[in-house]
Amino acid sequence: MSQTQPTINEDGTHRSLSNRHVQMIAIGGTIGTGLFLGAGTTISQTGPSVLLVYLILGLFFFLMMRAIGEMLYADPSQHTFVAYIAKYMGPRTGQFAGWTYWLGLVFLSMAELTAIGNYVQFWLPQVPAWLIELCVLSVLVLLNLSTAKLFGETEFWFAMIKIVAIIALIVTGVVMTINHTSTPLGQAAISNLFIELRAFPKGFMAFAAAFPMVFFAFQGIEFISITIGEAKEPRRIIRKAVNNTLIRILLFYILSLVVIMMIVPWNSIKPDKSPFVQVFQLAGLPAAAAVINAVVLTAAASALNSSIFSAGRHLYQIATEAEGKSRFSSFLARISRNGIPAHGILLSGMLMLLAPFISLFRGVGGAFTIVTGISSDLYIVVYILAMLAHRRYRKSPDFMPSGFVMPAYSITSPLSIAFFVLIFASLFVMPDDRAGAFGAIAWCLAFVIFYAFQARRERDVKDVDSLSGQNSH
């Protein structure tokens, strides 16, 4: 076989993603609008202690990726990390996690699509948002229906734009600090980091509230696990992609925040404005808002592109694991000639069409925000289930002691699970997150009730069959 030809998996999907693609997809999954836009809010609330928030959460996300990476290394044939939840926690728990994660992806995609409409209107205010959203969604769905390699190539360049923007910020900030550049807010200096230096400058609750905010900024870091099923040399790539996660977090998040606070004193940062825009404007770049708008547009398009890719694979995984194959699951489980779960992508894309519809009717926006909050909160539940599945994997015959093992497992595994549980519990304390947290609990209870009824019906059927068998004798 030629080296240029992708390896074909047993299910017909193609291993056409190279190390270059997966590494950049990993960066794209780590860096999103949470850094470019949301960082201003967290800095203004916590001051320099925001660095500690990012560092703690970065460490636990790294540990989660090591747990997922360990299972991927042992069995790199799976298309999503949710497959391991089904494998080690049971098919029904796997179905719950699969549908939950897929629905979360769809709603988050709709949120990104709505944001894209707003970003494009920065340049084209006369064009209706619903038309922009429809065009962007159509292009990205068609791109995902082509080949995994083309998706990887697109994500490579999306990630490259984000990296260039961050490097530009860091270089600009370092030059301004070295030259002690004067700005309307004072002088750029390292000493700006130590203004009102206290652990909780706006109180402990403001510090605690930053954890869920930063948690959602890291959301999507697990996307690299969804590319492994279609990656060349998966085991070699898993090690590199996962191990570099912490380095990327330190480099892109921590260093960016340090530079921002050296230029703009943290108590002068406007929470409703991108700190990137504020830095570039102070550096004398009049087009800062337009440049960062383009970068944020790229970040949103990248997130949407990855979500479409991931949503299609999750629907495919759900269909292949369904108990008792129905026509619908058989339809979703088909792989196209070019090795793509096309039906899963199309169905996900069709549901995402609700976003342009919502843009037409502004009154629906409030309900949409609540649903997006619920889907976001449900990700924490899926992450906890992934960590529990990893513990089951460790006790199974599949465990590879010589593989890519999680460091200090006996300590880091229970500590990570406890931390994620604590993050979910904190949502009930935060007024903005409370509705989403209760909605997430309601969704979980709905599944428990559904499966309880399903189990009871199956027992009744067995009892009827048993009785009819006895009567026939």
Side-chain angles (χ1 to χ4, degrees):
M1 184 183 284
S2 169
Q3 291 284 67
T4 57
Q5 289 181 304
T7 304
I8 299 176
N9 293 320
E10 287 182 14
D11 60 5
T13 52
H14 295 177
R15 288 194 175 274
S16 53
L17 294 173
S18 67
N19 180 53
R20 173 176 68 94
H21 293 137
V22 175
Q23 292 292 333
M24 291 302 261
I25 290 166
I27 293 171
T30 310
I31 305 164
T33 51
L35 174 62
F36 293 112
L37 288 178
T41 305
T42 48
I43 293 171
S44 66
Q45 286 297 309
T46 59
S49 59
V50 72
L51 299 174
L52 187 62
V53 178
Y54 273 89
L55 197 60
I56 291 169
L57 277 158
L59 177 63
F60 281 108
F61 267 95
F62 169 69
L63 291 172
M64 181 188 78
M65 287 310 300
R66 282 298 299 257
I68 292 172
E70 184 176 347
M71 293 185 287
L72 278 166
Y73 191 89
D75 179 13
S77 66
Q78 302 298 337
H79 288 281
T80 76
F81 72 96
V82 172
Y84 303 108
I85 297 174
K87 188 173 181 180
Y88 299 111
M89 300 290 290
R92 285 183 175 165
T93 307
Q95 278 186 335
F96 163 76
W99 283 113
T100 298
Y101 194 83
W102 175 77
L103 202 63
L105 283 170
V106 169
F107 279 109
L108 290 175
S109 297
M110 288 163 61
E112 296 289 357
L113 195 55
T114 305
I116 287 169
N118 292 331
Y119 299 146
V120 173
Q121 282 186 319
F122 179 88
W123 294 288
L124 305 170
Q126 304 304 319
V127 181
W130 68 266
L131 183 59
I132 296 166
E133 292 164 23
L134 189 62
C135 292
V136 170
L137 182 62
S138 301
V139 168
L140 292 182
V141 167
L142 287 171
L143 186 146
N144 273 274
L145 287 171
S146 53
T147 62
K149 186 176 182 180
L150 187 56
F151 159 79
E153 202 62 41
T154 308
E155 277 304 293
F156 177 88
W157 291 109
F158 276 159
M160 187 65 77
I161 291 168
K162 289 188 273 189
I163 290 167
V164 168
I166 291 170
I167 291 171
L169 172 92
I170 292 168
V171 170
T172 302
V174 168
V175 170
M176 288 176 73
T177 304
I178 290 170
N179 294 331
H180 297 289
T181 305
S182 294
T183 73
L185 299 174
Q187 201 174 58
I190 295 173
S191 59
N192 286 337
L193 286 169
F194 307 106
I195 293 171
E196 295 183 45
L197 187 62
R198 298 194 306 273
F200 315 120
K202 291 196 175 180
F204 178 75
M205 287 307 294
F207 176 76
F211 277 87
M213 291 166 69
V214 175
F215 184 95
F216 297 128
F218 280 129
Q219 200 170 289
I221 201 171
E222 74 284 352
F223 274 178
I224 52 167
S225 66
I226 296 156
T227 63
I228 297 301
E230 289 158 82
K232 302 171 184 175
E233 302 179 275
R235 283 183 170 157
R236 184 177 68 86
I237 288 175
I238 288 165
R239 283 182 179 273
K240 279 191 174 182
V242 173
N243 279 338
N244 289 340
T245 302
L246 193 59
I247 297 167
R248 283 191 295 269
I249 289 166
L250 289 170
L251 181 64
F252 294 120
Y253 275 102
I254 306 296
L255 195 53
S256 296
L257 295 173
V258 166
V259 166
I260 287 166
M261 287 187 286
M262 287 194 303
I263 309 306
V264 188
W266 73 267
N267 51 7
S268 300
I269 286 176
K270 297 172 184 175
D272 57 342
K273 192 174 180 181
S274 166
F276 278 68
V277 171
Q278 293 177 67
V279 168
F280 286 128
Q281 283 178 336
L282 290 172
L285 181 64
V291 170
I292 296 304
N293 191 72
V295 173
V296 172
L297 173 61
T298 302
S302 170
L304 177 58
N305 195 33
S306 293
S307 294
I308 294 168
F309 179 93
S310 182
R313 271 76 186 165
H314 272 88
L315 262 190
Y316 169 77
Q317 194 77 41
I318 290 166
T320 56
E321 292 170 356
E323 296 176 358
K325 296 291 179 187
S326 63
R327 286 185 180 180
F328 181 64
S329 60
S330 298
F331 172 79
L332 290 177
R334 288 179 195 164
I335 296 293
S336 65
R337 288 181 182 178
N338 55 345
I340 298 292
H343 293 163
I345 292 169
L346 279 170
L347 185 61
S348 302
M350 285 170 68
L351 196 57
M352 290 170 198
L353 282 171
L354 283 170
F357 178 78
I358 288 167
S359 295
L360 281 169
F361 301 96
R362 296 294 178 189
V364 188
F368 174 56
T369 303
I370 292 170
V371 172
T372 305
I374 293 169
S375 64
S376 245
D377 296 347
L378 282 165
Y379 272 55
I380 307 176
V381 177
V382 178
Y383 292 159
I384 292 167
L385 288 174
M387 294 299 294
L388 292 171
H390 175 250
R391 292 185 69 80
R392 292 275 183 92
Y393 154 79
R394 275 291 187 122
K395 296 172 183 175
S396 75
D398 300 333
F399 173 50
M400 290 177 63
S402 59
F404 183 50
V405 294
M406 184 182 186
Y409 161 78
S410 59
I411 299 167
T412 55
S413 174
L415 200 60
S416 299
I417 294 167
F419 181 76
F420 287 139
V421 170
L422 188 64
I423 291 289
F424 189 81
S426 73
L427 299 174
F428 294 94
V429 182
M430 311 302 168
D432 293 342
D433 296 315
R434 205 171 288 149
F438 278 114
I441 292 291
W443 172 263
C444 295
L445 287 174
F447 258 90
V448 169
I449 293 166
F450 171 75
Y451 284 133
F453 273 114
Q454 194 178 53
R456 185 176 176 180
R457 193 168 60 231
E458 286 172 3
R459 281 198 304 271
D460 290 344
V461 169
K462 283 180 182 176
D463 289 343
V464 169
D465 290 344
S466 171
L467 283 169
S468 61
Q470 289 172 11
N471 291 336
S472 66
H473 286 298

